[in-house]
Amino acid sequence: MKSGGLSKKFPANAAQWEALIARAPGKDRPLTAKEEAKWSNAVLVNGGGYQAARAAVAARRKPGQRGLQRSPTKQLVSVRYSPEVLEYFKSEGSGWQTRMDEALKQWVSARGRKAHASQGKT
């Protein structure tokens, strides 16, 4: 069974503690771009403990709300495929839904929009 300990060791002596503190960001050293990116979504709570932290996180993003992402370009649908079709796409590994989407896009492109428009559909 793995221990739940930290992967990094605590400094063993005062000199190691001083070196660790000197490397830490603060008044003497600003955050690097990488550190800034890590903290960009942080929620700062001064006091209040666990309840205050939960409230701050809840105020920032509601359950089910998307984060800072592009708006979705695909639509969620429920569809049934024959077992042979699913077996084929799944047998090629992960990303089978994307490959299926690409195959359908190629089919639509090959068929052309002319056939679609001639049926009176938009």
Side-chain angles (χ1 to χ4, degrees), residues 82-103:
S82 66
E84 298 84 10
V85 171
L86 287 176
E87 183 180 334
Y88 172 79
F89 281 99
K90 286 183 175 184
S91 70
E92 295 186 1
S94 64
W96 65 272
Q97 291 172 323
T98 302
R99 286 192 301 278
M100 187 179 280
D101 184 54
E102 290 298 321

Side-chain angles (χ1 to χ4, degrees), residues 35-80:
E35 291 167 337
E36 193 75 44
K38 281 184 176 180
W39 286 97
S40 65
N41 289 329
V43 176
L44 179 61
V45 179
N46 291 325
Y50 177 76
Q51 302 298 342
R54 293 280 299 176
V57 170
R60 185 165 188 165
R61 182 180 296 168
K62 305 296 179 215
Q65 180 184 10
R66 291 175 59 89
L68 299 174
Q69 303 165 3
R70 297 188 320 228
S71 60
T73 58
K74 298 180 180 179
Q75 295 180 358
L76 178 64
V77 296
S78 176
V79 65
R80 294 175 185 258

